[in-house]
Amino acid sequence: MEDGFVGLRHMWTIVFLSGFAGFMEAPVITDVTVAAVCSRPDDSCSLAVYLTGFQQVAIGLGTMVMMPVIGNLSDRYGTKAILTLPMCLSILPPVILGYRRDTHFFYLFYIIKILTALVCEGAVDCLAFAYVGENIHDRTRISAFSILAGIKMISALCGTLVARFLPVALIFKVSAISFLVGLLYMRVFLKERLNNDEVCDHHQDDHASSDVTMLAEPILNDTAIKTSVFNKKQSSLKDMIFLMKTSTIFVQALVVTFFSSFSDSGMQSAFLYFLKARFGFDKNQFADLLLLITIVGSISQLFVLPRFASSIGERKLLSTGLFLEFMNMAIVSISWAPWVPYLTTVFVPGAIIVMPSVCGIASRQVGAGEQGKVQGCMSGVKSFGKVVAPFVFSPLTALFLSNNAPFYFPGFSLLCIALSSMIGFLQSLLIKDATPQPLNKEINNSSGEEV
């Protein structure tokens, strides 16, 4: 058996390569969209905002359905097999823009991006979190999740840095190559499981010994779960309903996940267009800002949080992160100078630790062989937040950046995003720190009937 976090190095490499390819496109896609659909290249027309919002809605609807299915399939057939499809499809969109970026090819890219993202969007992150949850024990799992998020930030740092100096035509070509390299690396080096002795049972049929173990431990209350809690003959939807009925902590984690995703998706719809309209930011300034964000986030995730995450606890980290996220968006919404968004990057570590913390809380509610279902459900709720947010923030952003705004407040949509983070923060305060109960606690009648 490979020891601890060292055994996760191949999964971390895959996350880096896919993140590097995706983040490389972020600084330039706004300019490419505006140049393709707007009359003037320096304009921030409403059509570009609405196209971005519609894309988020369409992708969110698809991934809301697909992520729980992908998580469930990964428990049945393994992470490596299920990860192959999204990594293959991710190659297509950057190939199109790498070839040409006029209006016709942009709309072709736009359609292909929506169709492929139904399977690809968030799949690597979802399966990576499930893989970590399956192979790392409870006490060190939050540190592993923090490192995983740190690797994602390092990939964003490298991708943004490359985008800062490469011409637009090469950016999309390098992105496609990175996706291809990640696919080949995954097929060659990734091991299905690091510890076959502990987790191989979840790919087999039910045995009498697993039933005895299941009956010997407490079923879900508000405590960490160490054994199987799902009926393998039931569908993933019934599993999730059963878990939500019996675990208050899991339901609270889902609520926090929704509001965090709602805020993040709203920021994607509004933030860059706000900067472009308010201060005239271009590709290079977008890249500089994203570069600074990723540097701060990478340092905090890789060198600070893993040292203290286990001792502080997921719940406290979650509440702290949501409050810092609120402060970040609230200050950016009233930006009075171009340097203010750069200053607010000191709050970035807060936003970065939210999802590792809430995924750590959720992963403690089930056994090692069921991490795919739980992380898939979390990803589905995140996608639901991404679906709802553009309906609210895209029209709001377009209205307050136009000449027809009811009052002058270009950052009004960002202030609404900050209030959404505050709701998530208040909900996180209600989550109790889960502690394991003795294994010989009697099973309550209702849980016993479900088993």
Side-chain angles (χ1 to χ4, degrees), residues 100-318:
R100 288 184 67 179
R101 288 163 305 285
D102 58 20
T103 302
H104 298 293
F105 276 86
F106 172 79
Y107 281 113
L108 176 62
F109 157 81
Y110 186 80
I111 295 172
I112 296 297
K113 176 68 174 179
I114 291 176
L115 295 177
T116 57
L118 298 180
V119 177
C120 305
E121 188 76 11
V124 175
D125 294 340
C126 171
L127 295 176
F129 276 111
Y131 188 84
V132 170
E134 180 180 343
N135 291 284
I136 299 297
H137 296 296
D138 286 345
R139 293 183 178 179
T140 55
R141 193 174 290 165
I142 180 61
S143 297
F145 284 153
S146 296
I147 294 175
L148 182 61
I151 297 295
K152 189 79 174 180
M153 291 302 297
I154 287 290
S155 69
L157 171 63
C158 296
T160 307
L161 186 63
V162 170
R164 177 66 176 82
F165 298 104
L166 281 182
V168 175
L170 283 180
I171 287 174
F172 293 100
K173 294 177 183 178
V174 174
S175 175
I177 293 173
S178 179
F179 277 125
L180 178 60
V181 172
L183 171 64
L184 297 177
Y185 185 93
M186 183 270 297
R187 294 303 303 173
V188 174
F189 294 105
L190 184 67
K191 291 185 177 180
E192 193 58 65
R193 289 179 301 279
L194 302 182
N195 186 2
N196 292 324
D197 295 335
E198 293 181 2
V199 298
C200 64
D201 60 302
H202 75 279
H203 288 287
Q204 300 175 355
D205 293 331
D206 293 338
H207 292 89
S209 58
S210 64
D211 292 338
V212 171
T213 304
M214 190 175 173
L215 293 173
E217 296 203 16
I219 309 301
L220 291 167
N221 289 314
D222 285 337
T223 59
I225 301 303
K226 304 299 182 183
T227 57
S228 175
V229 299
F230 293 137
N231 186 343
K232 298 182 188 300
K233 297 181 180 180
Q234 291 180 339
S235 66
S236 178
L237 178 60
K238 291 182 179 180
D239 288 336
M240 290 302 107
I241 293 174
F242 170 65
L243 183 56
M244 286 187 286
K245 284 181 178 179
T246 52
S247 175
T248 304
I249 290 179
F250 184 68
V251 174
Q252 292 171 327
L254 291 179
V255 173
V256 173
T257 299
F258 169 78
F259 282 104
S260 176
S261 175
F262 183 74
S263 301
D264 291 342
S265 180
M267 187 173 65
Q268 292 175 16
S269 300
F271 184 53
L272 296 183
Y273 289 106
F274 165 76
L275 295 178
K276 189 174 185 64
R278 181 75 173 86
F279 302 115
F281 275 33
D282 59 13
K283 164 185 171 286
N284 292 335
Q285 289 168 306
F286 287 148
D288 291 338
L289 180 59
L290 294 176
L291 191 62
L292 183 59
I293 290 173
T294 51
I295 290 174
V296 175
S298 301
I299 293 174
S300 62
Q301 286 287 359
L302 290 177
F303 303 108
V304 179
L305 288 177
R307 295 177 178 271
F308 304 104
S310 299
S311 58
I312 295 175
E314 296 101 329
R315 206 273 301 165
K316 293 179 181 178
L317 284 174
L318 177 61

Side-chain angles (χ1 to χ4, degrees), residues 259 262-264 266-267 322-334 393 411-425:
F259 282 104
F262 183 74
S263 301
D264 291 342
M267 187 173 65
L322 288 167
F323 183 75
L324 292 177
E325 190 173 21
F326 162 76
M327 292 295 296
N328 182 22
M329 284 296 99
I331 295 175
V332 170
S333 69
I334 58 173
F393 295 117
F412 183 75
S413 59
L414 298 180
L415 179 61
C416 295
I417 293 170
L419 295 177
S420 174
S421 297
M422 175 54 67
I423 296 174
F425 166 72

